[in-house]
Amino acid sequence: EEPVLLAELKPGRPQRYDWKSSCETWSVAFSPDGAWFAWSQGHCVVKLIPWPLGEAELGCKTSERKSRGGKAETRSRGAAKEKTLECGQIVWGLAFSAWPAAEDGDTDPACAVGLPCLVLATGLNDGQIKVWEVQTGHLLFSLLGHQDVVRDLSFAPNGSPILVSASRDKTLRVWDLSRDVLFPSGDTFLLSPGRQVQVLSGHVQWVYCCSISPDCSMLCSAAGEKSALLWSMRSYTLIRRLEGHQSSVVSCDFSPDSALLVTASYDACVIMWDPYTGEQLRTLRHVPLHSTLDSSSEIHTSSLRSVCFSPEGLYLATVADDRLLRIWALELRSPVAFAPMTNGLCCMYFPHGGFIATGTRDGHVQFWTAPRVLSSLKHLCRKALRTFLTTYQVLALPIPRKLKEFLTYRTF
């Protein structure tokens, strides 16, 4: 079943023809509970939109989002109201915290340390990271340290207030948002949440992407290099280099059980890795569809921009420069579905499945249907086991070889 375009949102501001306009949508994000969608729509603006979209927006193909000043915009959807975040700089990276909303009588780990229950971090052109409270749209604080564009952000999925940032200054930085830090302001010192825990150096090119494994044991980073780097989130040391691509690696993502890692490159390939052993399990090659290509183009039209896993871990989505959104089944070497899209830059699955959001170079965001699948009992058992067993631990189990191959994703 081919993806169907449900809605396309466009920024209301006219495009300006100077480099400062930066109308690209470099990043999109859903909150972990699926209640919010964040869209870096260009022009230094981020939109916070309650999910699901209204029936009028899903019923029509396009809808404009107009920006007016820096105040939160409202529309009736219960207590949730759409907000406009004026960031003051070009926005490159977005990430919601994984902190759950507090239930009555529960003590939320984030709220316990004085932080809101849901925040959005924005990576900016000047190296700043601005952290916003989602419910109010208020700016909470800024994290300072990077010397160039903050290209990507990733919160620890386990609910701890740990944030990793990737930058064009060729470093990754680890921040603990539960720690207070003093910084000088004139003749006084101000107290601000957020302490830099570690600086990870090892890349020699701009860092494009960072992804923390769902079990929070590993961090993968991709830069303008032919190898991706795998780091320990416990010791903040380099575990290994993943070498196999023929051009710059630009995107990476872990499977929901942390047993697989995918990397996407300008070489038009996605490589599926076992992050524990560094073994290449499969290569997915983006073969151009000639009918969609512009013969006058001088760029490599199949260069990849983004890759992401579906929430249940049975599908992948990729966006490439050949104007196609592809959906891949985990067990197959060819895409199972295509959708035509122009100038795609990023893609993200809805946390509960069924939708994919894509961002484009002209500032638009598109919402597509995605295959809904009922996971087999075999896959659910594998996913449950691999959530807490490493590849080495599986291989050490006294079980048949074929079962070990299935549990380590070596039966493709």
Side-chain angles (χ1 to χ4, degrees), residues 93-344:
L94 296 174
F96 283 98
S97 66
W99 304 325
E103 300 288 341
D104 291 338
D106 290 346
T107 300
D108 183 271
C111 297
V113 297
L115 290 171
C117 294
L118 184 63
V119 301
L120 176 73
T122 55
L124 306 181
N125 196 67
D126 62 356
Q128 284 192 74
I129 300 167
K130 289 187 176 181
V131 181
W132 309 77
E133 183 178 3
V134 171
Q135 290 298 330
T136 64
H138 293 157
L139 176 64
L140 295 175
F141 51 86
S142 297
L143 302 175
L144 306 177
H146 281 297
Q147 304 302 308
D148 207 336
V149 172
V150 177
R151 185 64 184 83
D152 196 23
L153 296 162
S154 181
F155 273 99
N158 63 357
S160 64
I162 297 296
L163 173 68
V164 175
S165 54
S167 171
R168 283 187 181 176
D169 66 11
K170 306 174 186 177
T171 70
L172 298 112
R173 294 174 190 253
V174 184
W175 311 84
D176 185 347
L177 302 194
S178 68
R179 307 285 183 89
D180 290 339
V181 61
L182 286 171
F183 65 94
S185 177
D187 297 330
T188 62
F189 283 85
L190 300 179
L191 187 65
S192 173
R195 181 175 75 87
Q196 185 172 282
V197 176
Q198 194 77 28
V199 178
L200 304 181
S201 301
H203 288 291
V204 296
Q205 300 292 337
W206 294 349
V207 189
Y208 289 121
C209 182
C210 60
S211 178
I212 302 175
S213 62
D215 64 5
C216 294
S217 67
M218 295 171 286
L219 166 71
C220 182
S221 57
E225 304 158 13
K226 296 180 182 179
S227 59
L229 300 189
L230 195 65
W231 310 82
S232 168
M233 281 296 289
R234 298 187 175 97
S235 62
Y236 299 121
T237 56
L238 182 64
I239 299 174
R240 65 172 52 88
R241 291 180 178 271
L242 301 174
E243 298 179 341
H245 284 289
Q246 303 304 308
S247 188
S248 299
V249 184
V250 294
S251 183
C252 57
D253 195 26
F254 284 93
S255 62
D257 58 5
S258 304
L260 296 173
L261 170 68
V262 288
T263 55
S265 166
Y266 286 157
D267 65 8
C269 290
V270 168
I271 296 181
M272 196 176 299
W273 310 82
D274 185 321
Y276 295 103
T277 65
E279 180 182 349
Q280 293 186 37
L281 301 179
R282 170 168 292 189
T283 299
L284 306 177
R285 304 184 186 280
H286 286 62
V287 179
L289 298 183
H290 296 289
S291 61
T292 67
L293 298 184
D294 180 358
S295 59
S296 65
S297 176
E298 296 179 357
I299 64 171
H300 196 315
T301 51
S302 292
S303 293
L304 281 158
R305 293 289 173 177
S306 183
V307 61
C308 62
F309 264 102
S310 62
E312 80 293 326
L314 288 173
Y315 290 93
L316 293 170
T318 58
V319 170
D321 283 344
D322 62 358
R323 307 174 188 173
L324 288 174
L325 165 69
R326 289 174 172 83
I327 298 177
W328 309 73
L330 194 64
E331 307 288 340
L332 303 176
R333 292 185 181 274
S334 299
V336 296
F338 298 87
M341 62 173 299
T342 303
N343 297 327

Side-chain angles (χ1 to χ4, degrees), residues 18 24 67 141 186 196 211 241 302 348 363 367 378 386 389:
D18 63 279
E24 299 91 353
S67 304
F141 51 86
Q196 185 172 282
S211 178
R241 291 180 178 271
S302 292
M348 176 67 67
F367 299 99
K378 283 172 56 179
R386 290 311 310 272
L389 289 178

Side-chain angles (χ1 to χ4, degrees), residues 11-56:
R13 296 183 177 182
Q15 180 174 342
R16 291 160 49 194
Y17 293 96
D18 63 279
W19 68 271
K20 293 182 180 179
S21 65
S22 184
C23 62
E24 299 91 353
T25 294
W26 288 107
S27 185
V28 294
F30 286 102
S31 62
D33 62 0
W36 291 92
F37 175 76
W39 162 33
S40 64
Q41 66 167 39
H43 309 286
C44 308
V45 171
V46 171
K47 284 287 187 175
L48 272 172
I49 302 172
W51 189 270
L53 297 178
E55 291 183 5

